[in-house]
Amino acid sequence: MFATRCRALVRRAGDMVLRHVESKVVGSPCGGRRGLAIARTSYYVKQEVIPKNSRGWPWTVGVRQYTSVGSGSGGRSGGLAVRNPPDMFPFTVKGLNHIAIAVPDLGEASEHYRTVFGAQVSEPLDQPEHGVTVVFVHLSTATIELLHPLGHNSPITKFMEKNPKGGLHHICVTVDDIHSASKHMQKSGVGVLGNGEPKLGAHNNPVLFLHPKDNNGVLFELEQVSCAEKDKDIDA
Ligand SMILES: C[C@@H](C(=O)O)C(=O)SCCNC(=O)CCNC(=O)[C@H](O)C(C)(C)COP(=O)(O)OP(=O)(O)OC[C@H]1O[C@@H](n2cnc3c(N)ncnc32)[C@H](O)[C@@H]1OP(=O)(O)O
């Protein structure tokens, strides 16, 4: 019922939006309870489907961002012409997961974000597989991961030597299919660090890192987040 109404509604808004919304909402493997559908929709497609209760329609379609549209030639966003990713793109970036900052003193940094930014901060968590200890700083919709070297072979040791006061270390984005993402990166000439196989990260999800020299000098982490986990976030 939800899928049918959504399809019918979206059809009114044009072919490009129809294809996008169908692939993300109607075809979503995370489909389920209707009450969550709106929240899930706006999460996946970045506000392209906006809840609205006028004229008996539960939703209306508004075009805000077109960065994750999977097909069609493009559209307009905020008055600017935008181009869509290639057709049949092999994976989807669902959004920003966290931004990591390497710090020389975890306790001091946690206290800084707690008392200066008013953030909720977690206890330090050792990640021996990754050679770091992390603290999560929760800032409403954004999470900062504070990093400090752990053990003798930490991958962030050199970074700390070059940036003794700390610095922006990496950006982590959530993806729906980390194996497809990894294959696509390698095909595109982007170096996947390590042996190319995902490891479990601090959230117990599979993660991979991409070489900074292939991404404008920025180290990227990809984290695959399961549907169940997203539902937990939406419920919270
Ligand atoms: C717990 C988990 C989670 O979130 O779930 C985590 O966060 S684990 C977080 C920690 N784990 C990781 O970072 C894993 C992936 N990282 C790595 O494999 C390594 O850190 C590399 C990125 C390959 C860098 O290795 P290393 O520092 O030993 O090599 P290197 O000094 O020769 O660096 C090679 C070039 O990359 C640059 N470089 C190094 N680290 C960088 C960074 N974080 N951001 C931007 N550029 C960076 C260096 O300046 C250098 O540039 P020039 O050549 O121009 O001088």
Side-chain angles (χ1 to χ4, degrees):
M1 179 61 181
F2 163 68
T4 312
R5 287 179 80 174
C6 198
R7 247 188 237 117
L9 173 67
V10 167
R11 218 169 260 135
R12 293 172 0 139
D15 186 46
M16 184 168 57
V17 178
L18 170 66
R19 280 201 294 268
H20 178 46
V21 174
E22 272 195 342
S23 68
K24 298 301 167 198
V25 180
V26 180
S28 164
C30 302
R33 281 183 287 156
R34 186 180 164 160
L36 288 180
I38 294 174
R40 191 177 293 127
T41 299
S42 54
Y43 182 83
Y44 279 161
V45 298
K46 299 186 186 165
Q47 300 177 357
E48 285 181 22
V49 179
I50 302 163
K52 190 179 170 189
N53 286 319
S54 66
R55 288 186 298 165
W57 289 101
W59 307 280
T60 187
V61 176
V63 180
R64 289 274 179 86
Q65 294 184 32
Y66 255 71
T67 49
S68 58
V69 176
S71 58
S73 59
R76 298 191 78 78
S77 174
L80 289 177
V82 289
R83 290 185 296 143
N84 293 336
D87 283 349
M88 309 293 287
F89 202 73
F91 70 100
T92 305
V93 172
K94 301 290 190 186
L96 181 65
N97 188 294
H98 63 261
I99 292 173
I101 300 177
V103 298
D105 184 324
L106 267 185
E108 205 174 280
S110 300
E111 207 46 15
H112 173 78
Y113 288 99
R114 194 179 70 82
T115 60
V116 177
F117 285 80
Q120 200 180 48
V121 297
S122 75
E123 287 295 304
L125 181 67
D126 285 350
Q127 294 286 301
E129 278 285 297
H130 292 276
V132 290
T133 303
V134 302
V135 164
F136 292 108
V137 175
H138 300 290
L139 286 166
S140 185
T141 57
T143 300
I144 294 175
E145 182 184 74
L146 303 177
L147 296 175
H148 188 73
L150 175 71
H152 297 299
N153 290 319
S154 173
I156 72 168
T157 300
K158 279 198 208 162
F159 183 90
M160 290 307 301
E161 284 165 7
K162 285 185 189 165
N163 303 277
K165 291 186 174 165
L168 189 58
H169 187 263
H170 67 260
I171 291 177
C172 177
V173 293
T174 302
V175 296
D176 61 346
D177 182 342
I178 201 163
H179 290 284
S180 295
S182 174
K183 271 193 215 144
H184 182 72
M185 293 297 163
Q186 291 174 60
K187 226 168 79 184
S188 310
V190 173
V192 176
L193 293 165
N195 61 9
E197 274 306 302
K199 282 186 192 173
L200 287 185
H203 300 115
N204 268 329
N205 292 322
V207 300
L208 277 176
F209 287 86
L210 309 175
H211 205 291
K213 76 175 164 49
D214 300 325
N215 291 295
N216 306 103
V218 178
L219 176 63
F220 268 81
E221 179 181 8
L222 306 180
E223 175 169 334
Q224 180 176 294
V225 177
S226 71
C227 298
E229 196 148 332
K230 267 193 227 98
D231 287 350
K232 256 195 300 176
D233 287 349
I234 292 167
D235 282 336

